[in-house]
Amino acid sequence: MACVPRTSVVRSLKVNDTGYGSAIFVGDLVDFSPVSYVFAVQREIPIFDGDEGTLSAYPIYSAPLPIGRHEPAVQMDVTNTCPLICAGDVRVIAISTASMVQFGSVRSIRAETRVKNIRQLLRGLPPK
């Protein structure tokens, strides 16, 4: 897809938080490929051996990603009557992992986040 460059104009942008592998773009972009691997261990008693972070022990990090169907190419002609992409006041509370906020055009996005949560809680004790 060929994109005719346009000028992006944003009056104001306020972002409270961006996660790992996330980005904010004002303008055109060719390719965006953020990747984020998250490994979280939560223990009721915080005792760690030091070898908990071996990602290769978990298939979630090496399994092939599913690839979406590729639809046949569509021929289209776009006429932008205004050379500007305009946004007023934009407020973003949070941009999560491997994601983006963009004002402009993009040719390709391939985002990937893989999360493994482990919670080890005590058993047999009465609740407090």
Side-chain angles (χ1 to χ4, degrees), residues 6-10 13 23-29 85 100-105:
R6 296 170 70 191
T7 301
S8 298
V9 178
V10 180
L13 172 64
I24 301 165
F25 296 102
V26 177
D28 295 334
L29 183 63
I85 297 172
M100 68 187 281
V101 169
Q102 183 192 11
F103 302 91
S105 61

Side-chain angles (χ1 to χ4, degrees), residues 17-66:
D17 192 17
T18 58
Y20 297 106
S22 298
I24 301 165
F25 296 102
V26 177
D28 295 334
L29 183 63
V30 175
D31 297 305
F32 183 62
S33 300
V35 175
S36 182
Y37 296 132
V38 178
F39 183 78
V41 178
Q42 176 188 8
R43 293 190 173 134
E44 197 163 359
I45 298 175
I47 298 173
F48 296 92
D49 300 328
D51 63 348
E52 286 88 0
T54 307
L55 300 183
S56 61
Y58 301 94
I60 188 173
Y61 297 109
S62 59
L65 292 175

Side-chain angles (χ1 to χ4, degrees), residues 41-112:
V41 178
Q42 176 188 8
R43 293 190 173 134
E44 197 163 359
I45 298 175
I47 298 173
F48 296 92
D49 300 328
D51 63 348
E52 286 88 0
T54 307
L55 300 183
S56 61
Y58 301 94
I60 188 173
Y61 297 109
S62 59
L65 292 175
I67 297 175
R69 282 189 345 220
H70 289 288
E71 298 294 332
V74 175
Q75 293 292 330
M76 65 185 232
D77 293 321
V78 176
T79 302
N80 296 314
T81 58
C82 177
L84 301 176
I85 297 172
C86 297
D89 302 311
V90 179
R91 180 171 179 247
V92 177
I93 295 172
I95 305 166
S96 190
T97 53
S99 59
M100 68 187 281
V101 169
Q102 183 192 11
F103 302 91
S105 61
V106 63
R107 183 181 69 186
S108 147
I109 299 171
R110 184 174 190 271
E112 174 183 346

